[in-house]
């Protein structure tokens, strides 16, 4: 899986994140001890989270504005505590593709989509999958929480539609033999 490094942005994003994490770790963890999701942008609001994007992680948010397609539904930061896994879930239809960029402490993290599991090897990796498959994420690390940026976007076949949604009787055929896109 490609890394954000070739774009020249990941070292700066990583440094900004480390400062943010050191300043706010205790307050964030006290509110959500196992899994934390911070909204950076959502289609419902139509705006970026000013506090996180302008003050703490400007390089991450600015690069997202520049690089993301218009079919994006949400951009979030996800934290998973050590020795914890999320509940398995799916989005019941295949209208969304999820892109995970590992941000920090990737060495103990893994993503399982359908029956396919992938261990994250290093910070800055990207993993993309069809969210209609059962999926979960876990962190086997003993001490450090895993952080990722999650981009939820419309399936490419929907992105060109004016309303971006399927009709009641429409469905997509699964085109890939695995839930992960490479």
């Amino acid at each position: 899986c490609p890394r954000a490094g070739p774009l020249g942005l990941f070292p700066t994003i990583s440094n900004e994140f480390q400062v943010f994490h050191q300043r706010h770790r205790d307050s964030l963890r006290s509110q959500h001890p196992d899994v934390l999701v911070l909204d950076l942008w959502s289609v419902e609001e139509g705006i970026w989270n000013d506090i996180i994007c302008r003050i703490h992680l400007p390089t991450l948010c600015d690069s997202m504005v520049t690089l993301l397609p218009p079919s994006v539904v949400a951009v979030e930061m996800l934290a998973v505590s050590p020795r914890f896994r999320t509940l398995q879930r799916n989005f019941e239809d295949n209208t969304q593709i999820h892109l995970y960029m590992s941000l920090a402490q990737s060495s103990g993290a893994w993503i399982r989509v359908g029956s396919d599991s992938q261990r994250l090897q290093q910070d800055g990796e990207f993993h993309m999958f069809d969210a209609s498959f059962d999926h979960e994420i876990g962190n086997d690390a003993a001490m450090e929480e895993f952080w990722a940026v999650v981009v939820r976007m419309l399936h490419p076949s929907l992105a060109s539609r004016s309303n971006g949604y399927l009709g009641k009787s429409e469905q997509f055929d699964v085109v890939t033999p695995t839930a992960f896109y490479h």
Side-chain angles (χ1 to χ4, degrees):
C1 294
R3 294 190 71 217
L7 298 175
L9 300 174
F10 190 74
T12 304
I13 291 169
S14 181
N15 289 338
E16 288 176 358
F17 171 76
Q18 294 303 327
V19 171
F20 167 77
H21 186 249
Q22 288 172 353
R23 288 182 183 165
H24 302 285
R25 178 183 179 159
D26 292 338
S27 64
L28 293 172
R29 280 285 132 219
S30 66
Q31 297 170 19
H32 305 278
D34 296 322
V35 176
L36 172 68
V37 177
L38 296 174
D39 290 330
L40 297 180
W41 185 86
S42 78
V43 73
E44 290 88 19
E45 298 292 323
I47 57 173
W48 290 89
N49 180 324
D50 272 347
I51 294 172
I52 294 176
C53 288
R54 298 287 174 233
I55 297 170
H56 300 294
L57 301 168
T59 304
L60 173 65
C61 295
D62 289 347
S63 64
M64 293 287 173
V65 168
T66 305
L67 298 173
L68 292 178
S71 60
V72 169
V73 175
V75 180
E76 305 157 336
M77 284 178 45
L78 170 73
V80 179
S81 292
R83 297 185 178 158
F84 188 81
R85 66 195 288 174
T86 62
L87 294 175
Q88 189 176 61
R89 65 186 193 143
N90 64 57
F91 279 73
E92 297 182 4
D93 59 33
N94 55 345
T95 60
Q96 287 189 19
I97 303 295
H98 288 195
L99 173 68
Y100 277 67
M101 181 184 80
S102 54
L103 193 53
Q105 306 305 326
S106 301
S107 60
W110 50 267
I111 299 173
R112 181 175 298 123
V113 181
S115 61
D116 190 9
S117 290
Q118 293 187 4
R119 284 215 164 266
L120 284 70
Q121 302 297 315
Q122 58 187 342
D123 297 342
E125 282 183 342
F126 290 91
H127 294 267
M128 183 180 290
F129 62 89
D130 181 335
S132 67
F133 286 82
D134 289 338
H135 59 278
E136 62 184 324
I137 189 163
N139 182 7
D140 294 338
M143 302 284 292
E144 293 294 325
E145 60 201 2
F146 164 69
W147 284 82
V149 174
V150 181
V151 178
R152 295 187 293 127
M153 62 190 91
L154 290 176
H155 189 284
S157 298
L158 288 177
S160 61
R161 293 176 179 239
S162 60
N163 65 359
Y165 293 98
L166 291 171
K168 285 184 180 180
S169 62
E170 294 179 280
Q171 281 189 359
F172 290 121
D173 294 327
V174 177
V175 231
T176 54
T178 178
F180 277 104
Y181 295 101
H182 300 279

